[in-house]
Amino acid sequence: MKHLTILVFLFLILTSCSKGLSFENETFEKESAIPCKNDCPKITIDIPVAKNIPIVKDSINKKVFAVIKEIVYFGEAPLKVNDYTTLAESFIASYEEMHKKFPSETFGWEGKIKGDIEFNSDQILNIKIDHYTFTGGAHGYQGFRSLLFNPKTGKAIFTNQLFKNEKEFKTFAEKEFRAKYNIPTKANINATGLMFENDKFQLPQNIFYTDEGLLLYYNSYEAASYADGPKELLFPYEKVNKFLKYQ
């Protein structure tokens, strides 16, 4: 009987693996129960969830959840949750707690998280997270996050692991960046009003593989002010493949 159980277990694993890694979008929503007429607080999380291959899907799903949690969670104390439903509830709970303290100053809280498979090849999987949160103030915060994975193992691939020689690519990217944004070659990288830390060009925190090419994407405040908006640079693959480990 014991051997039969093991065989059944192995069969299930092999069957799931034969299907290959796949994704299914799941949506989680929560609204405040406090009565409101306009700008009623609400959060929506629409995210691709990996399926089929146990170890691979678990690794991807855990990483994606950790990033969404980082974006959504508003409280000061660490939040011990491991599912999207509880995470959405925590966002609304934070609003309701704040509303009790400042009923005339809290309005319009909102969270919108949309995830999509941006790129998928034998070597690299790219999940794009489009996020917007508003918890008071002059404006909300919108941005994009790029999550890169090895589709065979589910392990995260970080920006500094993308290139055969990161220093060479960075030199190439800076030259192209200066050309696009009209920054003189010998001038300080912030000469035209940009905000690179320590006055030195840096690769962005988020790099996307897209159907059109490799996209360097600087969210607001990363290289420029909120008013100036995000900055981006798109390279056709034929121009940058020589730098890339994964294609």
Side-chain angles (χ1 to χ4, degrees), residues 5 7 44 50 71-72 82 88 97 99 107 109 112 119 130 133 139 153 158 161 176 195 217 219-220 246:
T5 302
L7 287 173
T44 302
I71 294 169
V72 169
N82 56 11
E97 182 179 346
H99 183 74
F107 63 93
W109 273 39
K112 287 183 178 179
F119 188 86
D130 181 351
T133 51
H139 52 75
T153 65
F158 300 98
Q161 298 173 319
E176 297 292 320
M195 298 169 55
Y217 191 88
N219 282 299
S220 297
Y246 308 94

mmCIF file with all atom_site columns, all heavy atoms in Angstrom, residues 5 7 44 50 71-72 82 88 97 99 107 109 112 119 130 133 139 153 158 161 176 195 217 219-220 246:
data_model
loop_
_atom_site.group_PDB
_atom_site.id
_atom_site.type_symbol
_atom_site.label_atom_id
_atom_site.label_alt_id
_atom_site.label_comp_id
_atom_site.label_asym_id
_atom_site.label_entity_id
_atom_site.label_seq_id
_atom_site.pdbx_PDB_ins_code
_atom_site.Cartn_x
_atom_site.Cartn_y
_atom_site.Cartn_z
_atom_site.occupancy
_atom_site.B_iso_or_equiv
_atom_site.pdbx_formal_charge
_atom_site.auth_seq_id
_atom_site.auth_comp_id
_atom_site.auth_asym_id
_atom_site.auth_atom_id
_atom_site.pdbx_PDB_model_num
ATOM 1   N N   . THR A 1 5   ? 1.020   4.291  -2.833  1.00 0.00 ? 5   THR A N   1
ATOM 2   C CA  . THR A 1 5   ? 0.848   5.706  -2.514  1.00 0.00 ? 5   THR A CA  1
ATOM 3   C C   . THR A 1 5   ? 1.971   6.545  -3.130  1.00 0.00 ? 5   THR A C   1
ATOM 4   O O   . THR A 1 5   ? 1.739   7.617  -3.695  1.00 0.00 ? 5   THR A O   1
ATOM 5   C CB  . THR A 1 5   ? 0.834   5.930  -0.990  1.00 0.00 ? 5   THR A CB  1
ATOM 6   O OG1 . THR A 1 5   ? -0.212  5.146  -0.426  1.00 0.00 ? 5   THR A OG1 1
ATOM 7   C CG2 . THR A 1 5   ? 0.622   7.389  -0.644  1.00 0.00 ? 5   THR A CG2 1
ATOM 8   N N   . LEU A 1 7   ? 3.793   5.729  -5.738  1.00 0.00 ? 7   LEU A N   1
ATOM 9   C CA  . LEU A 1 7   ? 3.647   5.727  -7.188  1.00 0.00 ? 7   LEU A CA  1
ATOM 10  C C   . LEU A 1 7   ? 2.590   6.722  -7.653  1.00 0.00 ? 7   LEU A C   1
ATOM 11  O O   . LEU A 1 7   ? 2.765   7.410  -8.656  1.00 0.00 ? 7   LEU A O   1
ATOM 12  C CB  . LEU A 1 7   ? 3.278   4.314  -7.664  1.00 0.00 ? 7   LEU A CB  1
ATOM 13  C CG  . LEU A 1 7   ? 4.410   3.276  -7.608  1.00 0.00 ? 7   LEU A CG  1
ATOM 14  C CD1 . LEU A 1 7   ? 3.867   1.886  -7.927  1.00 0.00 ? 7   LEU A CD1 1
ATOM 15  C CD2 . LEU A 1 7   ? 5.518   3.643  -8.589  1.00 0.00 ? 7   LEU A CD2 1
ATOM 16  N N   . THR A 1 44  ? -8.240  46.650 -5.543  1.00 0.00 ? 44  THR A N   1
ATOM 17  C CA  . THR A 1 44  ? -8.388  45.536 -6.485  1.00 0.00 ? 44  THR A CA  1
ATOM 18  C C   . THR A 1 44  ? -7.005  45.003 -6.826  1.00 0.00 ? 44  THR A C   1
ATOM 19  O O   . THR A 1 44  ? -6.118  45.766 -7.218  1.00 0.00 ? 44  THR A O   1
ATOM 20  C CB  . THR A 1 44  ? -9.086  45.985 -7.787  1.00 0.00 ? 44  THR A CB  1
ATOM 21  O OG1 . THR A 1 44  ? -10.368 46.531 -7.478  1.00 0.00 ? 44  THR A OG1 1
ATOM 22  C CG2 . THR A 1 44  ? -9.257  44.808 -8.734  1.00 0.00 ? 44  THR A CG2 1
ATOM 23  N N   . ALA A 1 50  ? 0.866   31.374 -10.940 1.00 0.00 ? 50  ALA A N   1
ATOM 24  C CA  . ALA A 1 50  ? 1.508   30.254 -11.621 1.00 0.00 ? 50  ALA A CA  1
ATOM 25  C C   . ALA A 1 50  ? 0.837   28.939 -11.227 1.00 0.00 ? 50  ALA A C   1
ATOM 26  O O   . ALA A 1 50  ? 0.437   28.744 -10.075 1.00 0.00 ? 50  ALA A O   1
ATOM 27  C CB  . ALA A 1 50  ? 2.991   30.216 -11.282 1.00 0.00 ? 50  ALA A CB  1
ATOM 28  N N   . ILE A 1 71  ? 4.028   46.676 -1.806  1.00 0.00 ? 71  ILE A N   1
ATOM 29  C CA  . ILE A 1 71  ? 3.360   47.820 -2.423  1.00 0.00 ? 71  ILE A CA  1
ATOM 30  C C   . ILE A 1 71  ? 2.107   48.219 -1.651  1.00 0.00 ? 71  ILE A C   1
ATOM 31  O O   . ILE A 1 71  ? 1.849   49.402 -1.418  1.00 0.00 ? 71  ILE A O   1
ATOM 32  C CB  . ILE A 1 71  ? 2.980   47.497 -3.880  1.00 0.00 ? 71  ILE A CB  1
ATOM 33  C CG1 . ILE A 1 71  ? 4.238   47.315 -4.732  1.00 0.00 ? 71  ILE A CG1 1
ATOM 34  C CG2 . ILE A 1 71  ? 2.092   48.599 -4.484  1.00 0.00 ? 71  ILE A CG2 1
ATOM 35  C CD1 . ILE A 1 71  ? 3.971   46.740 -6.111  1.00 0.00 ? 71  ILE A CD1 1
ATOM 36  N N   . VAL A 1 72  ? 1.318   47.222 -1.242  1.00 0.00 ? 72  VAL A N   1
ATOM 37  C CA  . VAL A 1 72  ? -0.016  47.460 -0.689  1.00 0.00 ? 72  VAL A CA  1
ATOM 38  C C   . VAL A 1 72  ? -0.024  47.783 0.792   1.00 0.00 ? 72  VAL A C   1
ATOM 39  O O   . VAL A 1 72  ? -0.787  48.646 1.242   1.00 0.00 ? 72  VAL A O   1
ATOM 40  C CB  . VAL A 1 72  ? -0.929  46.229 -0.958  1.00 0.00 ? 72  VAL A CB  1
ATOM 41  C CG1 . VAL A 1 72  ? -2.224  46.323 -0.168  1.00 0.00 ? 72  VAL A CG1 1
ATOM 42  C CG2 . VAL A 1 72  ? -1.213  46.102 -2.437  1.00 0.00 ? 72  VAL A CG2 1
ATOM 43  N N   . ASN A 1 82  ? -0.276  35.618 4.305   1.00 0.00 ? 82  ASN A N   1
ATOM 44  C CA  . ASN A 1 82  ? 0.284   34.885 3.177   1.00 0.00 ? 82  ASN A CA  1
ATOM 45  C C   . ASN A 1 82  ? -0.730  34.656 2.071   1.00 0.00 ? 82  ASN A C   1
ATOM 46  O O   . ASN A 1 82  ? -0.601  33.735 1.285   1.00 0.00 ? 82  ASN A O   1
ATOM 47  C CB  . ASN A 1 82  ? 0.867   33.544 3.642   1.00 0.00 ? 82  ASN A CB  1
ATOM 48  C CG  . ASN A 1 82  ? -0.167  32.710 4.375   1.00 0.00 ? 82  ASN A CG  1
ATOM 49  O OD1 . ASN A 1 82  ? -1.355  33.030 4.372   1.00 0.00 ? 82  ASN A OD1 1
ATOM 50  N ND2 . ASN A 1 82  ? 0.276   31.630 5.010   1.00 0.00 ? 82  ASN A ND2 1
ATOM 51  N N   . ALA A 1 88  ? -5.645  42.408 1.041   1.00 0.00 ? 88  ALA A N   1
ATOM 52  C CA  . ALA A 1 88  ? -6.624  43.430 0.637   1.00 0.00 ? 88  ALA A CA  1
ATOM 53  C C   . ALA A 1 88  ? -7.411  43.919 1.843   1.00 0.00 ? 88  ALA A C   1
ATOM 54  O O   . ALA A 1 88  ? -7.673  45.126 1.994   1.00 0.00 ? 88  ALA A O   1
ATOM 55  C CB  . ALA A 1 88  ? -7.571  42.842 -0.412  1.00 0.00 ? 88  ALA A CB  1
ATOM 56  N N   . GLU A 1 97  ? -9.239  52.480 10.175  1.00 0.00 ? 97  GLU A N   1
ATOM 57  C CA  . GLU A 1 97  ? -8.600  52.909 11.426  1.00 0.00 ? 97  GLU A CA  1
ATOM 58  C C   . GLU A 1 97  ? -8.212  54.379 11.341  1.00 0.00 ? 97  GLU A C   1
ATOM 59  O O   . GLU A 1 97  ? -8.407  55.148 12.297  1.00 0.00 ? 97  GLU A O   1
ATOM 60  C CB  . GLU A 1 97  ? -7.362  52.045 11.690  1.00 0.00 ? 97  GLU A CB  1
ATOM 61  C CG  . GLU A 1 97  ? -6.654  52.380 12.991  1.00 0.00 ? 97  GLU A CG  1
ATOM 62  C CD  . GLU A 1 97  ? -5.445  51.506 13.235  1.00 0.00 ? 97  GLU A CD  1
ATOM 63  O OE1 . GLU A 1 97  ? -5.295  50.469 12.546  1.00 0.00 ? 97  GLU A OE1 1
ATOM 64  O OE2 . GLU A 1 97  ? -4.635  51.860 14.118  1.00 0.00 ? 97  GLU A OE2 1
ATOM 65  N N   . HIS A 1 99  ? -9.598  56.592 9.380   1.00 0.00 ? 99  HIS A N   1
ATOM 66  C CA  . HIS A 1 99  ? -10.831 57.368 9.267   1.00 0.00 ? 99  HIS A CA  1
ATOM 67  C C   . HIS A 1 99  ? -11.426 57.672 10.644  1.00 0.00 ? 99  HIS A C   1
ATOM 68  O O   . HIS A 1 99  ? -11.998 58.746 10.860  1.00 0.00 ? 99  HIS A O   1
ATOM 69  C CB  . HIS A 1 99  ? -11.843 56.608 8.417   1.00 0.00 ? 99  HIS A CB  1
ATOM 70  C CG  . HIS A 1 99  ? -13.127 57.362 8.189   1.00 0.00 ? 99  HIS A CG  1
ATOM 71  N ND1 . HIS A 1 99  ? -13.215 58.432 7.327   1.00 0.00 ? 99  HIS A ND1 1
ATOM 72  C CD2 . HIS A 1 99  ? -14.369 57.222 8.735   1.00 0.00 ? 99  HIS A CD2 1
ATOM 73  C CE1 . HIS A 1 99  ? -14.452 58.906 7.336   1.00 0.00 ? 99  HIS A CE1 1
ATOM 74  N NE2 . HIS A 1 99  ? -15.170 58.187 8.177   1.00 0.00 ? 99  HIS A NE2 1
ATOM 75  N N   . PHE A 1 107 ? -10.137 60.398 2.667   1.00 0.00 ? 107 PHE A N   1
ATOM 76  C CA  . PHE A 1 107 ? -11.099 60.133 1.598   1.00 0.00 ? 107 PHE A CA  1
ATOM 77  C C   . PHE A 1 107 ? -10.352 59.577 0.388   1.00 0.00 ? 107 PHE A C   1
ATOM 78  O O   . PHE A 1 107 ? -9.156  59.835 0.199   1.00 0.00 ? 107 PHE A O   1
ATOM 79  C CB  . PHE A 1 107 ? -11.849 61.401 1.192   1.00 0.00 ? 107 PHE A CB  1
ATOM 80  C CG  . PHE A 1 107 ? -10.966 62.473 0.614   1.00 0.00 ? 107 PHE A CG  1
ATOM 81  C CD1 . PHE A 1 107 ? -10.777 62.557 -0.753  1.00 0.00 ? 107 PHE A CD1 1
ATOM 82  C CD2 . PHE A 1 107 ? -10.308 63.383 1.443   1.00 0.00 ? 107 PHE A CD2 1
ATOM 83  C CE1 . PHE A 1 107 ? -9.955  63.536 -1.289  1.00 0.00 ? 107 PHE A CE1 1
ATOM 84  C CE2 . PHE A 1 107 ? -9.486  64.359 0.900   1.00 0.00 ? 107 PHE A CE2 1
ATOM 85  C CZ  . PHE A 1 107 ? -9.307  64.443 -0.468  1.00 0.00 ? 107 PHE A CZ  1
ATOM 86  N N   . TRP A 1 109 ? -9.194  56.712 -0.570  1.00 0.00 ? 109 TRP A N   1
ATOM 87  C CA  . TRP A 1 109 ? -8.139  55.703 -0.594  1.00 0.00 ? 109 TRP A CA  1
ATOM 88  C C   . TRP A 1 109 ? -8.409  54.724 -1.738  1.00 0.00 ? 109 TRP A C   1
ATOM 89  O O   . TRP A 1 109 ? -9.543  54.306 -1.967  1.00 0.00 ? 109 TRP A O   1
ATOM 90  C CB  . TRP A 1 109 ? -8.101  54.949 0.732   1.00 0.00 ? 109 TRP A CB  1
ATOM 91  C CG  . TRP A 1 109 ? -7.253  55.596 1.780   1.00 0.00 ? 109 TRP A CG  1
ATOM 92  C CD1 . TRP A 1 109 ? -7.148  56.930 2.031   1.00 0.00 ? 109 TRP A CD1 1
ATOM 93  C CD2 . TRP A 1 109 ? -6.425  54.932 2.732   1.00 0.00 ? 109 TRP A CD2 1
ATOM 94  N NE1 . TRP A 1 109 ? -6.300  57.139 3.094   1.00 0.00 ? 109 TRP A NE1 1
ATOM 95  C CE2 . TRP A 1 109 ? -5.836  55.928 3.534   1.00 0.00 ? 109 TRP A CE2 1
ATOM 96  C CE3 . TRP A 1 109 ? -6.125  53.599 2.989   1.00 0.00 ? 109 TRP A CE3 1
ATOM 97  C CZ2 . TRP A 1 109 ? -4.963  55.630 4.578   1.00 0.00 ? 109 TRP A CZ2 1
ATOM 98  C CZ3 . TRP A 1 109 ? -5.259  53.288 4.030   1.00 0.00 ? 109 TRP A CZ3 1
ATOM 99  C CH2 . TRP A 1 109 ? -4.684  54.299 4.813   1.00 0.00 ? 109 TRP A CH2 1
ATOM 100 N N   . LYS A 1 112 ? -4.888  49.835 -6.835  1.00 0.00 ? 112 LYS A N   1
ATOM 101 C CA  . LYS A 1 112 ? -5.107  49.075 -8.068  1.00 0.00 ? 112 LYS A CA  1
ATOM 102 C C   . LYS A 1 112 ? -3.803  48.375 -8.430  1.00 0.00 ? 112 LYS A C   1
ATOM 103 O O   . LYS A 1 112 ? -2.790  49.036 -8.700  1.00 0.00 ? 112 LYS A O   1
ATOM 104 C CB  . LYS A 1 112 ? -5.525  49.993 -9.219  1.00 0.00 ? 112 LYS A CB  1
ATOM 105 C CG  . LYS A 1 112 ? -6.941  50.536 -9.131  1.00 0.00 ? 112 LYS A CG  1
ATOM 106 C CD  . LYS A 1 112 ? -7.266  51.374 -10.367 1.00 0.00 ? 112 LYS A CD  1
ATOM 107 C CE  . LYS A 1 112 ? -8.693  51.899 -10.325 1.00 0.00 ? 112 LYS A CE  1
ATOM 108 N NZ  . LYS A 1 112 ? -9.014  52.730 -11.524 1.00 0.00 ? 112 LYS A NZ  1
ATOM 109 N N   . PHE A 1 119 ? 6.611   38.922 -20.833 1.00 0.00 ? 119 PHE A N   1
ATOM 110 C CA  . PHE A 1 119 ? 7.496   38.212 -21.769 1.00 0.00 ? 119 PHE A CA  1
ATOM 111 C C   . PHE A 1 119 ? 7.740   36.813 -21.221 1.00 0.00 ? 119 PHE A C   1
ATOM 112 O O   . PHE A 1 119 ? 7.857   36.612 -20.014 1.00 0.00 ? 119 PHE A O   1
ATOM 113 C CB  . PHE A 1 119 ? 8.819   38.970 -21.896 1.00 0.00 ? 119 PHE A CB  1
ATOM 114 C CG  . PHE A 1 119 ? 9.739   38.463 -22.962 1.00 0.00 ? 119 PHE A CG  1
ATOM 115 C CD1 . PHE A 1 119 ? 9.619   38.904 -24.274 1.00 0.00 ? 119 PHE A CD1 1
ATOM 116 C CD2 . PHE A 1 119 ? 10.731  37.545 -22.658 1.00 0.00 ? 119 PHE A CD2 1
ATOM 117 C CE1 . PHE A 1 119 ? 10.478  38.443 -25.259 1.00 0.00 ? 119 PHE A CE1 1
ATOM 118 C CE2 . PHE A 1 119 ? 11.602  37.083 -23.634 1.00 0.00 ? 119 PHE A CE2 1
ATOM 119 C CZ  . PHE A 1 119 ? 11.471  37.526 -24.948 1.00 0.00 ? 119 PHE A CZ  1
ATOM 120 N N   . ASP A 1 130 ? 1.722   46.584 -12.656 1.00 0.00 ? 130 ASP A N   1
ATOM 121 C CA  . ASP A 1 130 ? 1.283   47.973 -12.802 1.00 0.00 ? 130 ASP A CA  1
ATOM 122 C C   . ASP A 1 130 ? 0.521   48.322 -11.522 1.00 0.00 ? 130 ASP A C   1
ATOM 123 O O   . ASP A 1 130 ? -0.511  47.712 -11.233 1.00 0.00 ? 130 ASP A O   1
ATOM 124 C CB  . ASP A 1 130 ? 0.377   48.091 -14.024 1.00 0.00 ? 130 ASP A CB  1
ATOM 125 C CG  . ASP A 1 130 ? -0.100  49.524 -14.269 1.00 0.00 ? 130 ASP A CG  1
ATOM 126 O OD1 . ASP A 1 130 ? 0.120   50.397 -13.413 1.00 0.00 ? 130 ASP A OD1 1
ATOM 127 O OD2 . ASP A 1 130 ? -0.743  49.768 -15.317 1.00 0.00 ? 130 ASP A OD2 1
ATOM 128 N N   . THR A 1 133 ? -1.479  53.416 -5.903  1.00 0.00 ? 133 THR A N   1
ATOM 129 C CA  . THR A 1 133 ? -2.051  53.508 -4.562  1.00 0.00 ? 133 THR A CA  1
ATOM 130 C C   . THR A 1 133 ? -2.209  54.977 -4.189  1.00 0.00 ? 133 THR A C   1
ATOM 131 O O   . THR A 1 133 ? -1.352  55.811 -4.517  1.00 0.00 ? 133 THR A O   1
ATOM 132 C CB  . THR A 1 133 ? -1.163  52.823 -3.500  1.00 0.00 ? 133 THR A CB  1
ATOM 133 O OG1 . THR A 1 133 ? 0.186   53.313 -3.611  1.00 0.00 ? 133 THR A OG1 1
ATOM 134 C CG2 . THR A 1 133 ? -1.173  51.315 -3.678  1.00 0.00 ? 133 THR A CG2 1
ATOM 135 N N   . HIS A 1 139 ? -1.210  63.573 -4.302  1.00 0.00 ? 139 HIS A N   1
ATOM 136 C CA  . HIS A 1 139 ? -1.435  62.644 -5.399  1.00 0.00 ? 139 HIS A CA  1
ATOM 137 C C   . HIS A 1 139 ? -1.075  61.232 -4.945  1.00 0.00 ? 139 HIS A C   1
ATOM 138 O O   . HIS A 1 139 ? -0.404  61.026 -3.937  1.00 0.00 ? 139 HIS A O   1
ATOM 139 C CB  . HIS A 1 139 ? -0.585  63.028 -6.625  1.00 0.00 ? 139 HIS A CB  1
ATOM 140 C CG  . HIS A 1 139 ? 0.879   63.215 -6.308  1.00 0.00 ? 139 HIS A CG  1
ATOM 141 N ND1 . HIS A 1 139 ? 1.725   62.154 -6.087  1.00 0.00 ? 139 HIS A ND1 1
ATOM 142 C CD2 . HIS A 1 139 ? 1.624   64.334 -6.171  1.00 0.00 ? 139 HIS A CD2 1
ATOM 143 C CE1 . HIS A 1 139 ? 2.939   62.619 -5.831  1.00 0.00 ? 139 HIS A CE1 1
ATOM 144 N NE2 . HIS A 1 139 ? 2.913   63.944 -5.873  1.00 0.00 ? 139 HIS A NE2 1
ATOM 145 N N   . THR A 1 153 ? 13.171  26.920 -13.240 1.00 0.00 ? 153 THR A N   1
ATOM 146 C CA  . THR A 1 153 ? 13.361  26.704 -11.804 1.00 0.00 ? 153 THR A CA  1
ATOM 147 C C   . THR A 1 153 ? 12.442  27.554 -10.935 1.00 0.00 ? 153 THR A C   1
ATOM 148 O O   . THR A 1 153 ? 12.216  27.229 -9.772  1.00 0.00 ? 153 THR A O   1
ATOM 149 C CB  . THR A 1 153 ? 14.817  27.016 -11.409 1.00 0.00 ? 153 THR A CB  1
ATOM 150 O OG1 . THR A 1 153 ? 15.062  28.417 -11.619 1.00 0.00 ? 153 THR A OG1 1
ATOM 151 C CG2 . THR A 1 153 ? 15.795  26.202 -12.241 1.00 0.00 ? 153 THR A CG2 1
ATOM 152 N N   . PHE A 1 158 ? 17.878  38.729 -10.892 1.00 0.00 ? 158 PHE A N   1
ATOM 153 C CA  . PHE A 1 158 ? 18.016  40.130 -10.528 1.00 0.00 ? 158 PHE A CA  1
ATOM 154 C C   . PHE A 1 158 ? 18.748  40.901 -11.628 1.00 0.00 ? 158 PHE A C   1
ATOM 155 O O   . PHE A 1 158 ? 19.435  40.316 -12.480 1.00 0.00 ? 158 PHE A O   1
ATOM 156 C CB  . PHE A 1 158 ? 18.749  40.253 -9.191  1.00 0.00 ? 158 PHE A CB  1
ATOM 157 C CG  . PHE A 1 158 ? 18.028  39.563 -8.066  1.00 0.00 ? 158 PHE A CG  1
ATOM 158 C CD1 . PHE A 1 158 ? 18.407  38.285 -7.665  1.00 0.00 ? 158 PHE A CD1 1
ATOM 159 C CD2 . PHE A 1 158 ? 16.940  40.164 -7.448  1.00 0.00 ? 158 PHE A CD2 1
ATOM 160 C CE1 . PHE A 1 158 ? 17.729  37.640 -6.644  1.00 0.00 ? 158 PHE A CE1 1
ATOM 161 C CE2 . PHE A 1 158 ? 16.247  39.518 -6.427  1.00 0.00 ? 158 PHE A CE2 1
ATOM 162 C CZ  . PHE A 1 158 ? 16.644  38.256 -6.032  1.00 0.00 ? 158 PHE A CZ  1
ATOM 163 N N   . GLN A 1 161 ? 22.190  40.260 -12.686 1.00 0.00 ? 161 GLN A N   1
ATOM 164 C CA  . GLN A 1 161 ? 22.451  38.936 -13.252 1.00 0.00 ? 161 GLN A CA  1
ATOM 165 C C   . GLN A 1 161 ? 22.086  38.852 -14.736 1.00 0.00 ? 161 GLN A C   1
ATOM 166 O O   . GLN A 1 161 ? 22.287  37.816 -15.364 1.00 0.00 ? 161 GLN A O   1
ATOM 167 C CB  . GLN A 1 161 ? 21.642  37.883 -12.477 1.00 0.00 ? 161 GLN A CB  1
ATOM 168 C CG  . GLN A 1 161 ? 22.009  37.790 -11.000 1.00 0.00 ? 161 GLN A CG  1
ATOM 169 C CD  . GLN A 1 161 ? 21.069  36.867 -10.243 1.00 0.00 ? 161 GLN A CD  1
ATOM 170 O OE1 . GLN A 1 161 ? 19.863  36.878 -10.450 1.00 0.00 ? 161 GLN A OE1 1
ATOM 171 N NE2 . GLN A 1 161 ? 21.636  36.041 -9.362  1.00 0.00 ? 161 GLN A NE2 1
ATOM 172 N N   . GLU A 1 176 ? 23.375  56.120 -24.698 1.00 0.00 ? 176 GLU A N   1
ATOM 173 C CA  . GLU A 1 176 ? 22.077  56.165 -25.364 1.00 0.00 ? 176 GLU A CA  1
ATOM 174 C C   . GLU A 1 176 ? 21.092  57.054 -24.592 1.00 0.00 ? 176 GLU A C   1
ATOM 175 O O   . GLU A 1 176 ? 20.280  57.765 -25.192 1.00 0.00 ? 176 GLU A O   1
ATOM 176 C CB  . GLU A 1 176 ? 21.522  54.749 -25.500 1.00 0.00 ? 176 GLU A CB  1
ATOM 177 C CG  . GLU A 1 176 ? 22.357  53.814 -26.363 1.00 0.00 ? 176 GLU A CG  1
ATOM 178 C CD  . GLU A 1 176 ? 22.325  54.221 -27.824 1.00 0.00 ? 176 GLU A CD  1
ATOM 179 O OE1 . GLU A 1 176 ? 21.244  54.616 -28.312 1.00 0.00 ? 176 GLU A OE1 1
ATOM 180 O OE2 . GLU A 1 176 ? 23.388  54.145 -28.478 1.00 0.00 ? 176 GLU A OE2 1
ATOM 181 N N   . MET A 1 195 ? 17.683  63.617 -11.456 1.00 0.00 ? 195 MET A N   1
ATOM 182 C CA  . MET A 1 195 ? 17.929  63.427 -10.027 1.00 0.00 ? 195 MET A CA  1
ATOM 183 C C   . MET A 1 195 ? 18.664  62.123 -9.731  1.00 0.00 ? 195 MET A C   1
ATOM 184 O O   . MET A 1 195 ? 18.383  61.430 -8.759  1.00 0.00 ? 195 MET A O   1
ATOM 185 C CB  . MET A 1 195 ? 16.583  63.431 -9.278  1.00 0.00 ? 195 MET A CB  1
ATOM 186 C CG  . MET A 1 195 ? 15.817  64.737 -9.400  1.00 0.00 ? 195 MET A CG  1
ATOM 187 S SD  . MET A 1 195 ? 14.113  64.592 -8.771  1.00 0.00 ? 195 MET A SD  1
ATOM 188 C CE  . MET A 1 195 ? 14.394  63.995 -7.107  1.00 0.00 ? 195 MET A CE  1
ATOM 189 N N   . TYR A 1 217 ? 13.308  51.150 -17.486 1.00 0.00 ? 217 TYR A N   1
ATOM 190 C CA  . TYR A 1 217 ? 12.197  51.995 -17.025 1.00 0.00 ? 217 TYR A CA  1
ATOM 191 C C   . TYR A 1 217 ? 12.503  52.577 -15.652 1.00 0.00 ? 217 TYR A C   1
ATOM 192 O O   . TYR A 1 217 ? 12.680  51.849 -14.672 1.00 0.00 ? 217 TYR A O   1
ATOM 193 C CB  . TYR A 1 217 ? 10.898  51.188 -16.965 1.00 0.00 ? 217 TYR A CB  1
ATOM 194 C CG  . TYR A 1 217 ? 9.675   52.059 -16.746 1.00 0.00 ? 217 TYR A CG  1
ATOM 195 C CD1 . TYR A 1 217 ? 9.007   52.624 -17.827 1.00 0.00 ? 217 TYR A CD1 1
ATOM 196 C CD2 . TYR A 1 217 ? 9.206   52.332 -15.462 1.00 0.00 ? 217 TYR A CD2 1
ATOM 197 C CE1 . TYR A 1 217 ? 7.901   53.440 -17.648 1.00 0.00 ? 217 TYR A CE1 1
ATOM 198 C CE2 . TYR A 1 217 ? 8.105   53.155 -15.267 1.00 0.00 ? 217 TYR A CE2 1
ATOM 199 C CZ  . TYR A 1 217 ? 7.452   53.694 -16.359 1.00 0.00 ? 217 TYR A CZ  1
ATOM 200 O OH  . TYR A 1 217 ? 6.360   54.508 -16.171 1.00 0.00 ? 217 TYR A OH  1
ATOM 201 N N   . ASN A 1 219 ? 10.972  54.666 -12.735 1.00 0.00 ? 219 ASN A N   1
ATOM 202 C CA  . ASN A 1 219 ? 9.750   55.195 -12.143 1.00 0.00 ? 219 ASN A CA  1
ATOM 203 C C   . ASN A 1 219 ? 9.972   56.618 -11.647 1.00 0.00 ? 219 ASN A C   1
ATOM 204 O O   . ASN A 1 219 ? 11.112  57.074 -11.491 1.00 0.00 ? 219 ASN A O   1
ATOM 205 C CB  . ASN A 1 219 ? 9.300   54.303 -10.979 1.00 0.00 ? 219 ASN A CB  1
ATOM 206 C CG  . ASN A 1 219 ? 8.604   53.042 -11.455 1.00 0.00 ? 219 ASN A CG  1
ATOM 207 O OD1 . ASN A 1 219 ? 7.568   53.099 -12.112 1.00 0.00 ? 219 ASN A OD1 1
ATOM 208 N ND2 . ASN A 1 219 ? 9.176   51.890 -11.130 1.00 0.00 ? 219 ASN A ND2 1
ATOM 209 N N   . SER A 1 220 ? 8.882   57.329 -11.399 1.00 0.00 ? 220 SER A N   1
ATOM 210 C CA  . SER A 1 220 ? 8.968   58.685 -10.856 1.00 0.00 ? 220 SER A CA  1
ATOM 211 C C   . SER A 1 220 ? 9.807   58.685 -9.585  1.00 0.00 ? 220 SER A C   1
ATOM 212 O O   . SER A 1 220 ? 9.725   57.759 -8.778  1.00 0.00 ? 220 SER A O   1
ATOM 213 C CB  . SER A 1 220 ? 7.565   59.211 -10.543 1.00 0.00 ? 220 SER A CB  1
ATOM 214 O OG  . SER A 1 220 ? 6.789   59.309 -11.710 1.00 0.00 ? 220 SER A OG  1
ATOM 215 N N   . TYR A 1 246 ? 20.440  36.262 -20.981 1.00 0.00 ? 246 TYR A N   1
ATOM 216 C CA  . TYR A 1 246 ? 19.160  35.576 -21.243 1.00 0.00 ? 246 TYR A CA  1
ATOM 217 C C   . TYR A 1 246 ? 18.465  36.238 -22.424 1.00 0.00 ? 246 TYR A C   1
ATOM 218 O O   . TYR A 1 246 ? 18.414  37.467 -22.513 1.00 0.00 ? 246 TYR A O   1
ATOM 219 C CB  . TYR A 1 246 ? 18.248  35.646 -20.012 1.00 0.00 ? 246 TYR A CB  1
ATOM 220 C CG  . TYR A 1 246 ? 18.900  35.169 -18.737 1.00 0.00 ? 246 TYR A CG  1
ATOM 221 C CD1 . TYR A 1 246 ? 19.518  36.071 -17.875 1.00 0.00 ? 246 TYR A CD1 1
ATOM 222 C CD2 . TYR A 1 246 ? 18.904  33.829 -18.392 1.00 0.00 ? 246 TYR A CD2 1
ATOM 223 C CE1 . TYR A 1 246 ? 20.130  35.659 -16.711 1.00 0.00 ? 246 TYR A CE1 1
ATOM 224 C CE2 . TYR A 1 246 ? 19.503  33.397 -17.222 1.00 0.00 ? 246 TYR A CE2 1
ATOM 225 C CZ  . TYR A 1 246 ? 20.115  34.313 -16.380 1.00 0.00 ? 246 TYR A CZ  1
ATOM 226 O OH  . TYR A 1 246 ? 20.714  33.902 -15.229 1.00 0.00 ? 246 TYR A OH  1
#
